[in-house]
Amino acid sequence: MSELGLASRREADEWIARGWVRVDGAVVSELGARVSPEQQITVDPAARAFQAQLVTVLLNKPIGYVSGQAEDGYEPAVTLVTPQNHWNGDPTGLRFKREHLRNLAPAGRLDIDSVGLLVLTQDGRIAKRLIGHDSEIEKEYLVRVQYGRPGPVRDVFPEADLGTLNHGLWLDGKPLLPAKVWWQNEDQLRFVLREGKKRQIRRMCEAVGLKVVGLKRVRIGRVMLGDLPPGQWRYLRGDETF
């Protein structure tokens, strides 16, 4: 069911437990039951209605919050999802409900010292799309940097090293996928990546002698951070897809 995009594994388990899944017309009661490619899986409309109520939240994460579980005394970003922080420019018209926090989890990381777009979702299908092992959805960042020579960084940074940032670096013993990296202004780069290794951009910059002094994620797939203020959040619109 997960491979077909019908549900996340957790959702599939819950639907099976509720008797909402049939194979060739027969209700499935065993978790992990095997299904051959020739067999037909059907899902009760109640499951679709349940799935339609799942929410996805877009948060403009500020510095000082961790993406996932609390650590070293720092609070997780999900604690910012409160009625008080709900952006009054949210175009969805949805109103906050406490059940929207149930199983709301980050779909990807954003370092404690980085800011910008963080996705939290109840929908396992979206999580898989964004952080599954085969996901190649683009993520775009604005990265302010310093270099060890006087003058505007763009003017003194070697062009060859900019080429290396685009393609040619290795991390953790493996080559990185080609990236898109170009100058936004004299001390700021724009990165577009299709993978998300831990602290990847900071480590890429360190490899060519750059120090990151500010990092902001502004886009995931086709979803933009836009005018969402720091520390505030909104719901993903029904017509928005990553």
Side-chain angles (χ1 to χ4, degrees):
M1 291 174 67
S2 174
E3 289 172 3
L4 290 172
L6 297 174
S8 69
R9 291 178 182 274
R10 184 175 61 194
E11 282 176 328
D13 286 348
E14 187 169 350
W15 293 0
I16 290 169
R18 290 173 180 249
W20 288 347
V21 179
R22 295 173 180 265
V23 174
D24 291 343
V27 174
V28 176
S29 57
E30 179 186 351
L31 296 180
R34 294 187 176 275
V35 180
S36 69
E38 297 79 23
Q39 292 181 291
Q40 184 178 22
I41 299 174
T42 54
V43 176
D44 192 283
R48 295 300 185 201
F50 176 82
Q51 200 171 52
Q53 296 172 11
L54 301 177
V55 299
T56 295
V57 165
L58 309 177
L59 170 71
N60 187 347
K61 188 189 87 66
I63 287 175
Y65 288 84
V66 293
S67 298
Q69 298 294 320
E71 55 184 75
D72 300 328
Y74 293 103
E75 288 188 297
V78 71
T79 60
L80 292 169
V81 183
T82 65
Q84 295 77 19
N85 293 332
H86 189 185
W87 183 38
N88 60 15
D90 188 335
T92 64
L94 291 174
R95 303 185 71 174
F96 175 79
K97 298 178 181 178
R98 290 203 61 81
E99 53 262 36
H100 291 168
L101 295 175
R102 179 176 177 264
N103 296 324
L104 188 68
R109 293 188 302 264
L110 197 56
D111 296 334
I112 190 170
D113 44 4
S114 300
V115 303
L117 182 58
L118 181 68
V119 176
L120 302 109
T121 186
Q122 295 177 317
D123 193 331
R125 297 168 303 168
I126 287 178
K128 182 180 179 183
R129 204 169 298 144
L130 296 184
I131 59 177
H133 71 277
D134 56 348
S135 174
E136 290 194 1
I137 288 179
E138 288 186 343
K139 300 175 180 66
E140 186 171 345
Y141 304 81
L142 292 175
V143 185
R144 196 167 299 281
V145 293
Q146 293 177 346
Y147 194 51
R149 292 169 59 183
V153 182
R154 179 171 58 186
D155 296 343
V156 297
F157 186 67
E159 189 69 25
D161 287 345
L162 182 63
T164 301
L165 284 173
N166 277 271
H167 192 206
L169 288 176
W170 289 54
L171 288 182
D172 304 325
K174 295 181 179 179
L176 295 177
L177 294 175
K180 300 173 187 174
V181 186
W182 67 95
W183 289 106
Q184 179 71 13
N185 54 49
E186 64 181 21
D187 66 350
Q188 192 174 53
L189 290 162
R190 190 175 286 267
F191 276 71
V192 178
L193 305 180
R194 291 183 292 119
E195 58 189 333
K197 295 183 180 296
K198 189 173 183 179
R199 298 182 74 82
Q200 178 172 336
I201 289 177
R202 296 177 189 275
R203 294 165 68 194
M204 290 173 70
C205 287
E206 288 172 5
V208 293
L210 292 171
K211 179 182 178 181
V212 173
V213 294
L215 191 153
K216 181 179 184 179
R217 184 157 62 201
V218 296
R219 176 175 67 88
I220 299 177
R222 292 193 289 268
V223 175
M224 306 291 295
L225 177 65
D227 298 327
L228 187 61
Q232 296 189 25
W233 61 273
R234 70 173 177 89
Y235 291 106
L236 183 73
R237 296 196 315 266
D239 63 339
E240 284 182 303
T241 59
F242 292 99

